[in-house]
Amino acid sequence: MKNTVLLPIVVGIGIILVFLGITSSQLTVEPILREPTVYQKLNFSYVDSNSILKSSLASDGILMSSPLTFTGSSIAKYCTFYQDEIKQNSINYCTSTELKDHEGNFLGNIHMVGTLDYPDAVLGVIQTDPYLSNLDSLKTTYQIMINSLVCDCWQDKKPGNFESISQWIDAAKSHHLEAKRTTSSSEISGLADKQLFLEITTNSDGYLWKLIISN
């Protein structure tokens, strides 16, 4: 099976995202312009969370592959997320899955990184074209990630005064397009004690979106 992978790299003074093809191509993108939060262990397992995501995404027409797992020496080759040596050395296990839309078109990846027992962060990386033609699939993916891994409580809590996850994504999109920056970001704190970080980077293919869920 041919796997296409978009691998985010988190650095001490920012986060640099790269596309790393495990069996194919490699592309680079602009760095994230913020200092990342300190990631702590999430209160769920790799197996359970990947299984829940795969099932939930399938019910909405998003196909998620079984996870590739990396340990030992393969971490340095396929899971180099952190430029900071201490952060990078703290990763001793990671999983990567591929996402396709209902027509079988490559959509992006979901990565989980951390220790052998628990992930420290979950990263959803999706490329949209300049016309944002797959924005609905992106919204579906991110909503399922948040509902499944954080809580199905957005409408009750309305973090950031956003009525829905879709409204948050639309606001981030509008801000990015209006600001005309290469990279823009939005962060939600405190939803079920989790941190949600959403970033949009303009690149030659359109827009690269990153959703990071952490404690």
Side-chain angles (χ1 to χ4, degrees), residues 101-155:
D101 65 19
H102 66 282
E103 295 180 346
N105 300 313
F106 175 71
L107 184 62
N109 302 95
I110 294 178
H111 312 289
M112 300 186 189
V113 300
T115 65
L116 182 62
D117 296 322
Y118 299 101
D120 299 333
V122 179
L123 307 96
V125 186
I126 294 177
Q127 177 72 44
T128 63
D129 61 32
Y131 306 103
L132 297 166
S133 61
N134 58 347
L135 186 62
D136 286 344
S137 293
L138 179 146
K139 287 181 176 180
T140 296
T141 301
Y142 286 172
Q143 179 166 318
I144 288 173
M145 287 179 65
I146 293 169
N147 287 348
S148 299
L149 304 182
V150 180
C151 68
D152 189 3
C153 60
W154 190 289
Q155 289 185 332

Side-chain angles (χ1 to χ4, degrees), residues 12 48 79 81 83 85 113-114 116 128 145 160 166 175 187 207:
D48 290 343
C79 304
F81 293 97
Q83 185 174 3
E85 186 175 354
V113 300
L116 182 62
T128 63
M145 287 179 65
S166 177
H175 173 72
E187 189 167 5
Y207 306 98

